[in-house]
Every structure is written in structure tokens, then in C-alpha cells.
Amino acid sequence: MTSRKWVHLFWTTLVLGGALTLLTSFVVKADAYAQVLQPFDFFELIGLLLFFSGLGFIFSIISQMGFFAYLTVNQFGLGMFKGLWPAIQVFLIVFTLFDLVYFRYQAADEGASLWPYLLTAFALLAVSYVVARIKRKETNSKAFIPALFFMVVVTTVEWVPALQSEGQDYVWLMIIPLLACNAYQLLLLHRLNNKEPKSK
């Protein structure tokens, strides 16, 4: 990974995070946009667009920090646990999905349904599975479990600040750009590393 490739990865991921968060805010925070459109307030609207774009940039940076932290942890795990590392990653995936359902349900109001928490965990696993399958297809079979681990465990860790907030707005506002940025980095990395320099 050269510095030029890293800069390309950084800026494209940053733009992706900002754009997706802004687009998601049109749905999740539609009431906030409605307030500045009726009556129309141009400066309030610009401020709102800048706020959600900036929030997306922050989510993107969190995603990138998580990605490079994962690359370090994966190398550490391979060196320390060797052949046991894939099994440990599978255990952590299952444990994370269980926690994502159990602890959120325990913190919910009394009488809340368990189904939304189960569906959230299942949706995260489904998206992660698809990304991991693509990663395996484009690289090798050994990449499946690490890719699934990254998409499930690391994404959930990055998602914690939104999960701890009150209300569901920021839960959805954060997870969509996080998933997209994480998948983008994971699937772009081997393409950047395999890209050969153009002949003169």
C-alpha cells in the first residue's frame, strides 16, 4: 500500500461517508428538513446540509480507523493464535450478534418487542455475509471469515456511540454509511494492492 493509494482510499471513503449520511438524513431526519422548508430558510438549510455532511465525514473517519485497527489486530491474531484464529473470529462474531440483540433488548423499555433487535442483527449479518462472499470470490477462500469478522464485529464496535444514544434516528443515520464505508474499504484494498503500475 503506497501513500498515493492510501490517500485515494482515504478521500474516496470520506466522500462516500459524507454523501451517504446526507442522503440518509433526508429520510431519517425529514422532520428537521421540513422545519427549514416551511417557511423556507436558505441559511438554515445550508447549515443542515453541512451538519449532516460533516457528520458523515466523522463516520467515515471512524470507519477508516476501525479498518486499519482491524488490519493490525488480524495480523496480531494470525501471529499469536495461528490456526485457531479463524475459530476465535467465528466465536466473536456469534458473541457480538448475541450482544447486539440481548443488551439492546435489556436496555429497552419494558414491554418492547424483541423482533426489531433480532431483525437488526440479522440484517447486519446478511449484508456482512454478502460482502464476505464477494471478498472470498475476488481473493481466496481464507478471506471469508476475516471479512465477515470485520463487517460484523468491527462495524458493531464502531456503531456503539449511536446504539447508546436515545432514539433510533442516529442508529440508522450511522449504520448505513458505516456499512458502506467498511464494505468499500474491504473490497477496494485487494484491488489497490494488485494494481500494477502503468508501463511508460
Side-chain angles (χ1 to χ4, degrees):
M1 174 69 76
T2 63
S3 58
R4 183 177 180 180
K5 291 177 180 179
W6 181 84
V7 169
H8 171 75
L9 181 64
F10 173 80
W11 284 110
T12 52
T13 308
L14 193 71
V15 171
L16 179 65
L20 279 179
T21 304
L22 182 60
L23 291 173
T24 305
S25 72
F26 293 147
V27 177
V28 176
K29 305 295 287 185
D31 54 338
Y33 287 101
Q35 290 178 5
V36 301
L37 293 176
Q38 296 178 355
F40 180 73
D41 190 323
F42 177 77
F43 292 105
E44 284 286 338
L45 178 61
I46 295 299
L48 209 56
L49 295 174
L50 290 175
F51 172 77
F52 287 118
S53 297
L55 200 61
F57 295 151
I58 293 172
F59 295 159
S60 170
I61 291 172
I62 291 172
S63 169
Q64 295 186 60
M65 289 172 62
F67 182 62
F68 285 101
Y70 163 72
L71 294 178
T72 302
V73 168
N74 190 49
Q75 290 301 316
F76 176 79
L78 287 170
M80 174 168 284
F81 301 108
K82 302 186 185 305
L84 290 175
W85 181 231
I88 293 171
Q89 289 181 93
V90 171
F91 170 77
L92 291 173
I93 290 168
V94 174
F95 183 75
T96 299
L97 291 170
F98 173 78
D99 283 355
L100 191 59
V101 175
Y102 180 76
F103 287 112
R104 291 185 68 210
Y105 180 68
Q106 288 295 314
D109 297 332
E110 188 175 350
S113 173
L114 180 63
W115 283 107
Y117 304 102
L118 286 171
L119 289 174
T120 299
F122 177 77
L124 174 62
L125 179 61
V127 172
S128 302
Y129 177 80
V130 171
V131 173
R133 283 287 300 269
I134 296 171
K135 182 72 174 181
R136 180 176 68 179
K137 183 178 179 181
E138 295 185 353
T139 55
N140 58 72
S141 59
K142 293 181 179 179
F144 179 79
I145 292 176
L148 190 65
F149 174 85
F150 171 68
M151 290 300 298
V152 173
V153 178
V154 177
T155 300
T156 301
V157 171
E158 295 167 347
W159 198 17
V160 166
L163 293 174
Q164 293 178 335
S165 65
E166 295 183 4
Q168 295 295 308
D169 289 356
Y170 284 94
V171 170
W172 297 110
L173 196 64
M174 189 175 192
I175 189 56
I176 293 174
L178 276 183
L179 276 174
C181 289
N182 284 345
Y184 174 75
Q185 292 176 97
L186 190 65
L187 297 177
L188 185 65
L189 182 65
H190 60 272
R191 292 183 174 91
L192 289 177
N193 287 335
N194 292 335
K195 189 179 293 184
E196 297 180 358
K198 295 179 180 178
S199 57
K200 295 183 180 179

